[in-house]
Amino acid sequence: MKRTALLHAELSQVIAALGHGDMLVIGDAGLPIPDGPRRIDLALTPGIPRVADVLKVVLSEMQVERTLIAREAIGQLPVGQLPAWCEGQLAALPETVSHEELKRLSARAKAVIRTGECTPYANIVLYAGVTF
């Protein structure tokens, strides 16, 4: 699954160990992280790093088959428009689920990455794909 080296050792190790269909969650600073998944805390200060920054690096390293975001992240935007933190980074529009469902799903993730993002609902679930 892994393509090149990442600067953050824990994140690199998690991506290298992902199997087809495994989930990786990138979350804002307020996303509750359940017991179970590996926790990777990248937050330095409010806003650093942003979800968009972490998503860009992860997408360069990971083959993604499917993505989920919370319906609440889209809010009142026209259909098909993505929140600014994921705009232009995804090959296809993500599926949407309620924020409560996204939090429940995160309990089954291999890892949850906590960022310094302070934008409400700036959370994304990535499902690992295969490179062939």
Side-chain angles (χ1 to χ4, degrees), residues 104-123:
R104 278 191 294 279
L105 284 170
S106 69
R108 296 192 327 229
K110 290 289 183 181
V112 177
I113 303 164
R114 181 177 174 262
T115 69
E117 183 77 51
C118 293
T119 303
Y121 307 112
N123 310 296

Side-chain angles (χ1 to χ4, degrees), residues 15-59:
I15 290 174
L18 289 174
H20 185 227
D22 285 344
M23 291 186 294
L24 181 67
V25 176
I26 302 172
D28 60 34
L31 181 69
I33 300 175
D35 292 333
R38 184 170 180 175
R39 299 164 184 239
I40 301 174
D41 191 349
L42 301 179
L44 298 173
T45 63
I48 300 173
R50 300 174 309 147
V51 166
D53 299 328
V54 176
L55 182 60
K56 181 179 180 180
V57 172
V58 168
L59 290 175

Side-chain angles (χ1 to χ4, degrees), residues 41-123:
D41 191 349
L42 301 179
L44 298 173
T45 63
I48 300 173
R50 300 174 309 147
V51 166
D53 299 328
V54 176
L55 182 60
K56 181 179 180 180
V57 172
V58 168
L59 290 175
S60 73
E61 297 292 322
M62 178 182 166
Q63 181 70 37
V64 175
E65 180 174 274
R66 177 179 170 214
T67 59
L68 295 175
I69 62 173
R71 278 190 289 275
E72 293 85 346
I74 295 174
Q76 301 302 317
L77 297 174
V79 174
Q81 205 171 26
L82 294 174
W85 52 266
C86 66
E87 188 71 50
Q89 297 203 58
L90 303 174
L93 289 176
E95 297 172 47
T96 59
V97 295
S98 71
H99 185 58
E100 289 304 313
E101 180 64 16
L102 189 141
K103 289 191 291 186
R104 278 191 294 279
L105 284 170
S106 69
R108 296 192 327 229
K110 290 289 183 181
V112 177
I113 303 164
R114 181 177 174 262
T115 69
E117 183 77 51
C118 293
T119 303
Y121 307 112
N123 310 296

